[in-house]
Amino acid sequence: MFGIIVGTHGRFSEEIIKSCEMICGPQENVRAVTLVPGEGPDDMAKKYEAAIAELDCADGVLFLNDLFGGSPYNAACRLAASNETYGVVAGLSLPMLIEMVSAQLTGGPYDILALMDRAAEAGRSGTQLFHASRMEEEADDDL
């Protein structure tokens, strides 16, 4: 099993996990780690290490972060730099998290690089556009 750690600025990580659980049910091997005002990367690293200690990480850890270059991301990268079974993906979204909790259900062995690619693709494909002005164009395409 691989652990999922959702690390974000503020309470976003807690709330996105709650949203995921509304769709996928309770998640046992996922943890939220929050960066609150006054904290920095060292605080996040300590919180990450505590979360790792609580999870089944036999096949690695996937850190899902909200923002590239932010303190949650930087702290995750520091940990991942010394462990090849750890991976970091920035740009957290609900489709990405749902895809990763679904991946946990498939059973191992898990390839952290493949999981990272899968998470990034879920984030990309979960981004869609809609505007009323395009409705006519799409209807014409269907003919």
Side-chain angles (χ1 to χ4, degrees):
M1 177 65 77
F2 69 98
I4 299 172
I5 298 177
V6 181
T8 65
H9 294 83
R11 304 281 179 216
F12 180 40
S13 57
E14 295 170 349
E15 297 303 323
I16 199 167
I17 290 172
K18 287 178 186 177
S19 295
C20 178
E21 290 181 330
M22 287 177 63
I23 297 164
C24 301
Q27 298 302 309
E28 299 298 323
N29 214 41
V30 178
R31 292 293 179 277
V33 175
T34 60
L35 177 72
V36 296
E39 293 181 335
D42 290 339
D43 300 298
M44 285 299 289
K46 289 175 187 171
K47 290 179 180 184
Y48 284 150
E49 289 169 349
I52 290 166
E54 296 175 357
L55 296 171
D56 177 354
C57 301
D59 292 312
V61 176
L62 184 62
F63 295 90
L64 301 178
N65 296 118
D66 56 353
L67 184 64
F68 173 77
S71 293
Y73 174 84
N74 293 338
C77 288
R78 282 185 10 207
L79 295 176
S82 61
N83 191 323
E84 290 189 7
T85 66
Y86 292 5
V88 183
V89 179
L92 172 65
S93 68
L94 187 54
M96 180 187 294
L97 181 56
I98 290 170
E99 183 70 19
M100 291 299 94
V101 299
S102 297
Q104 285 181 325
L105 300 175
T106 62
Y110 299 98
D111 176 341
I112 197 68
L113 294 174
L115 288 168
M116 292 168 58
D117 288 340
R118 189 170 164 183
E121 179 54 33
R124 281 189 293 275
S125 65
T127 301
Q128 299 294 318
L129 306 175
F130 173 87
H131 189 268
S133 67
R134 295 183 180 173
M135 289 175 59
E136 188 174 307
E137 293 172 16
E138 291 175 8
D140 290 342
D141 290 345
D142 291 339
L143 299 176

